[in-house]
Amino acid sequence: MANNPVQGLFKRPMPALVDEELTTYKFDLFSSYPNPLADDPKFAEYSPQPLYQATELFKLTVSTADLQNPETTSVSKVMLAWDRVGPWLPWMKMGDRPGYLIYSAWGGKVASVAELPLLIQDEINTRVPLFKNAAKSLLDRDDVTSWIYFKQNFDAYLKGEKFPIPMQEVE
C-alpha cells in the first residue's frame, strides 16, 4: 500500500463503547468509486475493473480518562484493529482474475520512531522521512489512493524500483 495523504474529518458522531477505563470507537468504510486506472489500456493487466470497491473495518481503543480530561491534547495510548477486504493491488498484475485480498492488522501508538521495529525505523530514516511525523492539521491537498500512486509512479514500477518511492517531508 502506498497512499499519502489519506485524511478525513468525521462529521457525525461515531459509535463508541465507553466504560470506566476504555473507550472503543468503531467505524466501517464501504468505498465504491471509479477506478482511476480503468480507462487507460496500459493498465488493463494491472487493474481493469471499472469500480474500486472495498470494505474497511476499524476499531480504535483509548483511555476514557484521557478523553474526559479537558487538559489532554493527545491520548496517551491507542490500540487499533483494522480489517479490509478489497481488490488485488495493481502492482500484483492480476488483471481481471477473480479474487480479492483480506487484511487483518492491529497496532498501537508509540511515543517516537525509536519505539518502532528496526526495519520500519530504517525505512523511515533512509527512504521515507515523510512518515516521521503526523501532520498537525488537515493538509490542503487531495488524498492519494494506492491506485493513484501506482498510476503516478508507473514508470518507476516498470523499472523495478522499490515502493514506496523515497520522498522527503513536505512542510
Side-chain angles (χ1 to χ4, degrees):
M1 304 297 286
N3 47 355
N4 181 56
V6 173
Q7 53 189 355
L9 185 61
F10 292 102
K11 296 179 181 178
R12 60 178 192 213
M14 284 196 317
L17 175 61
V18 181
D19 68 30
E20 289 181 22
E21 292 184 29
L22 299 174
T23 297
T24 299
Y25 292 97
K26 173 187 154 301
F27 57 100
D28 300 335
L29 304 174
F30 302 93
S31 300
S32 181
Y33 51 82
N35 176 357
L37 303 178
D39 292 338
D40 189 331
K42 78 178 176 186
F43 296 114
E45 293 182 274
Y46 302 91
S47 182
Q49 298 77 12
L51 283 179
Y52 168 88
Q53 293 181 299
T55 298
E56 298 190 64
L57 312 170
F58 293 88
K59 288 169 193 64
L60 294 165
T61 301
V62 298
S63 162
T64 301
D66 281 354
L67 294 176
Q68 293 174 339
N69 181 349
E71 304 297 316
T72 300
T73 58
S74 178
V75 294
S76 58
K77 186 176 181 181
V78 176
M79 294 174 283
L80 163 74
W82 172 67
D83 297 290
R84 179 176 188 264
V85 178
W88 306 117
L89 291 165
W91 61 264
M92 299 173 88
K93 203 173 181 180
M94 297 295 281
D96 61 358
R97 289 187 191 122
Y100 50 88
L101 298 171
I102 299 173
Y103 307 72
S104 185
W106 58 270
K109 180 179 181 176
V110 296
S112 71
V113 173
E115 291 184 31
L116 294 170
L118 285 176
L119 174 69
I120 296 173
Q121 288 182 49
D122 289 345
E123 286 292 297
I124 290 171
N125 290 326
T126 62
R127 297 187 65 250
V128 284
L130 170 71
F131 297 114
K132 259 187 197 177
N133 299 298
K136 302 276 185 225
S137 61
L138 290 176
L139 301 173
D140 187 23
R141 52 185 208 197
D142 292 335
D143 287 352
V144 176
T145 69
S146 293
W147 276 248
I148 291 169
Y149 188 88
F150 185 79
K151 186 175 192 175
Q152 291 170 342
N153 295 283
F154 187 60
D155 290 337
Y157 165 82
L158 291 175
K159 291 178 193 170
E161 291 184 32
K162 185 176 178 182
F163 276 52
I165 304 299
M167 58 179 96
Q168 298 300 314
E169 291 183 79
V170 178
E171 296 298 323

